[in-house]
Amino acid sequence: MEEIQEQPSQSIGKDDEDEIVKEQSADAHGDPLQDGNLPPKVDSAVEILQEKVTKQVVKEGHGQKPTKYATCFLHYRAWTESTQHKFEDTWHEQRPFEMVLGKEKKEMAGLAVGVSSMKAGERALLHVGWELGYGKEGSFSFPNVPPMADIIYEVELIGFDEVKEGKSRGDMTAEERIGSADRRKMDGNSLFKDEKLEEAMQQYEMAIAYLGDDFMFQLFGKYRDMALAVKNPCHLNMAACLIKLKRHEEAIAQCTIVLAEDENNAKALFRRGKARAELGQTDAAREDFLKAQKHAPEDKAITRELRLLDEHDKAVYKKQKELYKGIFGPPPQPKPANVLTRIWEWLILIYQWLLSLIYRLSKRERHKAD
């Protein structure tokens, strides 16, 4: 596989074949996941997949369904149905789960039934009987599941690879995994250009799943550089999608992953700055933009964002000034006095002066007499 190198001198505001870097102002609205502490409320029809497995669609998917031995990448949350206790959450761990249909663990049998009925991008709520879950004994290690516990799964099928022999990531060579990730990244770029943001993110997430932390820790030298040349652009392109979908906290998380590996990555700093600015975190955004500018001083997009921050700050200051002026009001001004009032004031002053003069003269006469 040809080694892909990211050029640090490239402009933040231009597209290239490895990264979707152009920032567009068009609004787009995503469908962020629910809070996740409790199973979501779903009103769609209940589909009976097996005697012990039912499904309700939360979000429709697209394309075909995976077949036996397909390598599926998914996110899921799992609760015990009786107590609503959540015992697993791959979204929280930010690590997709890999499942080869037909080769899943025994306790995942019900989950596999549900996944095999789903399309890429589909999100669903599954109810699984204990017989196809953790069984009569339950699990007292991790995850902790009581005996004979029926399970609720919220599942999103990110995507899948149809591999006849059911070859999982762990059985691939380094070149095969990097190559698979790179193909997913390129598919994601094409979808991004067609404004299919959710589908693009699924491809980027699948690419990242091939290059997980456990795999990256084993790579050195050329292979690590090859893997990072695929992995980092996927995180940054995910961030670009999330910014367009107004999911700014998630965009910040994707950029921070890249910056943990490369603290001076100008594109990661720029995108994180944009997301922070949208959240009103102007000081943190300015810090990111200024640091990005050090590594890409000629980039006009960074200069534009810094100018927008300055304009924002001036507008906020002006608004606050007007607000405080309205609260406290203008300083009190003396009311103009009429002519009679002025004459009266002068007469009082003359009277006081005459009394003072008489007092001083009488005091002097007494002093002479003594």
Side-chain angles (χ1 to χ4, degrees):
M1 174 187 162
E2 183 182 355
E3 184 173 349
I4 302 171
Q5 294 292 341
E6 183 178 348
Q7 300 299 324
S9 61
Q10 288 177 326
S11 173
I12 303 298
K14 296 181 180 179
D15 287 345
D16 58 50
E17 66 178 5
D18 294 326
E19 289 195 62
I20 306 299
V21 298
K22 186 176 182 180
E23 306 299 337
Q24 301 178 14
S25 60
D27 289 339
H29 301 280
D31 182 20
L33 293 168
Q34 296 185 32
D35 153 287
N37 291 323
L38 294 173
K41 303 294 183 183
V42 183
D43 298 325
S44 59
V46 177
E47 181 183 355
I48 300 174
L49 303 180
Q50 277 193 16
E51 183 182 357
K52 299 295 181 181
V53 183
T54 64
K55 182 180 90 167
Q56 291 175 277
V57 175
V58 178
K59 185 184 76 172
E60 296 287 348
H62 55 86
Q64 302 297 314
K65 298 176 182 179
T67 60
K68 191 174 183 179
Y69 300 131
T71 301
C72 300
F73 299 93
L74 53 134
H75 274 304
Y76 70 88
R77 297 188 180 103
W79 298 264
T80 53
E81 189 162 14
S82 59
T83 64
Q84 305 280 287
H85 167 67
K86 184 172 68 174
F87 60 86
E88 274 194 293
D89 187 344
T90 65
W91 275 294
H92 179 73
E93 297 167 4
Q94 295 185 345
R95 181 177 298 180
F97 179 72
E98 177 187 351
M99 172 187 288
V100 178
L101 295 180
K103 294 188 176 184
E104 67 277 352
K105 294 179 181 179
K106 184 180 178 181
E107 62 268 22
M108 295 289 182
L111 178 60
V113 170
V115 170
S116 66
S117 73
M118 299 172 68
K119 299 176 181 179
E122 181 178 334
R123 195 186 310 158
L125 196 70
L126 304 177
H127 289 257
V128 176
W130 61 266
E131 297 89 344
L132 296 180
Y134 287 83
K136 191 173 183 180
E137 302 297 327
S139 173
F140 292 95
S141 57
F142 180 82
N144 186 2
V145 183
M148 301 178 67
D150 294 337
I151 300 171
I152 301 174
Y153 288 104
E154 182 186 8
V155 190
E156 181 171 359
L157 179 60
I158 300 167
F160 56 88
D161 282 332
E162 292 287 2
V163 184
K164 293 181 179 179
E165 66 274 20
K167 196 172 186 179
S168 66
R169 290 175 295 176
D171 297 327
M172 292 181 176
T173 64
E175 290 92 337
E176 288 174 329
R177 287 181 72 157
I178 296 170
S180 294
D182 190 47
R183 286 191 293 275
R184 290 291 182 180
K185 183 197 74 175
M186 298 306 292
D187 290 344
N189 288 359
S190 297
L191 289 165
F192 183 97
K193 290 173 182 176
D194 292 337
E195 292 293 324
K196 297 178 180 178
L197 303 180
E198 295 282 359
E199 294 175 35
M201 286 197 297
Q202 290 162 12
Q203 296 301 316
Y204 294 138
E205 196 160 6
M206 285 186 66
I208 292 167
Y210 279 105
L211 306 173
D213 292 340
D214 54 343
F215 175 67
M216 296 298 294
F217 286 145
Q218 302 173 38
L219 299 181
F220 300 93
K222 181 182 76 171
Y223 287 112
R224 183 170 179 81
D225 292 340
M226 290 169 63
L228 286 174
V230 177
K231 184 174 183 289
N232 284 350
C234 286
H235 285 297
L236 294 176
N237 293 349
M238 282 273 288
C241 292
L242 290 163
I243 289 171
K244 289 171 72 69
L245 293 169
K246 311 298 183 186
R247 290 157 61 177
H248 303 298
E249 293 285 2
E250 295 172 71
I252 289 171
Q254 292 295 325
C255 295
T256 301
I257 291 171
V258 176
L259 292 168
E261 187 71 42
D262 178 9
E263 65 179 354
N264 296 322
N265 188 296
K267 291 172 183 176
L269 289 164
F270 177 76
R271 294 236 171 97
R272 191 171 72 174
K274 278 187 70 70
R276 284 174 162 174
E278 290 291 340
L279 291 173
Q281 302 171 5
T282 54
D283 289 342
R286 182 177 285 102
E287 183 179 344
D288 280 341
F289 288 141
L290 289 173
K291 191 171 182 181
Q293 196 172 51
K294 289 181 181 178
H295 304 286
E298 303 299 323
D299 194 275
K300 294 180 180 178
I302 301 174
T303 303
R304 182 181 68 249
E305 293 299 330
L306 284 168
R307 185 179 68 251
L308 290 174
L309 277 183
D310 290 339
E311 291 172 358
H312 172 268
D313 288 348
K314 289 177 182 177
V316 169
Y317 173 76
K318 184 177 180 181
K319 188 174 181 180
Q320 288 176 341
K321 188 176 179 181
E322 291 296 323
L323 177 64
Y324 294 143
K325 182 179 178 181
I327 292 173
F328 298 109
Q333 298 293 327
K335 294 181 179 180
N338 58 38
V339 175
L340 291 176
T341 303
R342 287 179 177 274
I343 293 171
W344 179 251
E345 289 174 350
W346 276 107
L347 288 173
I348 291 174
L349 289 173
I350 293 170
Y351 176 71
Q352 290 174 342
W353 178 77
L354 287 172
L355 288 177
S356 175
L357 179 61
I358 293 169
Y359 173 77
R360 288 198 300 271
L361 289 173
S362 62
K363 188 176 181 180
R364 185 180 301 170
E365 290 298 325
R366 286 198 302 268
H367 181 72
K368 287 181 179 180
D370 294 339

